[in-house]
Amino acid sequence: MKRRLVLLAAGLMLFMLVLPVQANAASKQLLYQFDGAISDFDQTRIVWKATGNKVLWLYNRTNKSEAKVYDAAGTDAVVSQAKLTAEGVVYTFTDPKSRKAVTEYWKDGEARQLADASFTAIKGNYALFADRVVDIATGQSRPLGPSDTDVSPDGAIVYSTIGDLYEQLPGGTPTKLASRSPSLVSQWYHANLGLYQPVTDGTNIVFRELMLIDNYRYLKWVTRLIGPDGKRTTLAINPWPAAVDYDVNNGWIAYTKYEKDKDSWILYVRSPEGVDKPVFAATWWSPTDLPLSIDKTWPDGSVTYTYNRHTYIYFKQADKIIEVTGVWSQFQYREHVFGGPNETQYRYGVWYRLAGGSLFESRV
């Protein structure tokens, strides 16, 4: 096995808390380096593609062992993507005969096909495709909703049909969660009034409603929240939406809100306890160009966002913002859980930075 693996830091580094960020930089410590590109990692494993994308490896960070997941050497196939699941690896490669994408699931040395398509996301133990969601453990497939759809890590599907918002649990039938607000008209200047783009993390559901307010004087995009108790809350009433103006993760919600008295767009972070915190104000915008957009909400409440074509991360633990233009996707947050006495658990959050085949721990 021709590869080079350099282990430069002990596992004790995982116990270290994230430190405060300094101006536009973050210190980093190299942990691992491979002859290829790292596709995904968690607290005990790293899945990486060897140079040329022909061979996929799974490295065990605990015992330093390694297993070959997929080998396309001698064929025209290449591995395009790979993600870890709770027990294995989901990966997509190009079939050398059909030239089509194939997604397989590998566990304990055995692989089986999940779909004849590329996956778009892995959420919990579920693989999301363009037209279906697949239970990775059982292989059971369910079609997605007819319109805007998202899947939670526990396999619940949420989707909107313009007029209504539904949720469907694994093995269950769809349940209506909300309907569009009453109106004398269903369209306004050819725009369909109703519900759009639901997202969920299994705890919260956030979606948009396009509606008329103030006795049909104004057309507004209203950001709505349905919490774990089923309560419906209005988060924002905006004159138009950003490319992405809300996201959810691990109970945290990030959303943008236009505040008329300040003539400004504000990025808010809402905690799992329901506390809203403004973290950034867009000082420039125009009716034809809204330069503030949310890229990703991380499990600790941090948010990656874009403003005027520059990318930033609001680091929740340090309560600071740094610009990471060009490299934000390399920054990833992982929460590590360790067992303690009397079945207690210790949780530590660590920021990492990926650079090809190198994995760094970032102290920000």
Side-chain angles (χ1 to χ4, degrees), residues 279-339:
V279 299
F280 177 78
T283 56
W284 175 88
W285 61 278
S286 76
T288 58
D289 185 10
L290 179 59
L292 177 62
S293 180
I294 295 170
D295 295 316
K296 183 177 178 64
T297 304
W298 298 90
D300 70 331
S302 299
V303 182
T304 308
Y305 63 94
T306 299
Y307 177 61
N308 280 352
R309 294 179 293 277
H310 292 261
T311 304
Y312 303 83
I313 298 181
Y314 165 67
F315 290 97
K316 177 65 177 63
Q317 296 178 15
D319 195 26
K320 290 187 178 181
I321 294 171
I322 66 171
E323 182 177 350
V324 292
T325 298
V327 298
W328 81 262
S329 61
Q330 298 175 3
F331 280 88
Q332 297 189 25
Y333 177 87
R334 294 292 188 275
E335 187 176 63
H336 301 282
V337 182
F338 302 93

Side-chain angles (χ1 to χ4, degrees), residues 167-184:
E167 179 181 44
Q168 183 179 13
L169 300 178
T173 57
T175 300
K176 185 186 296 185
L177 300 179
S179 298
R180 75 177 183 91
S181 301
S183 176
L184 297 177

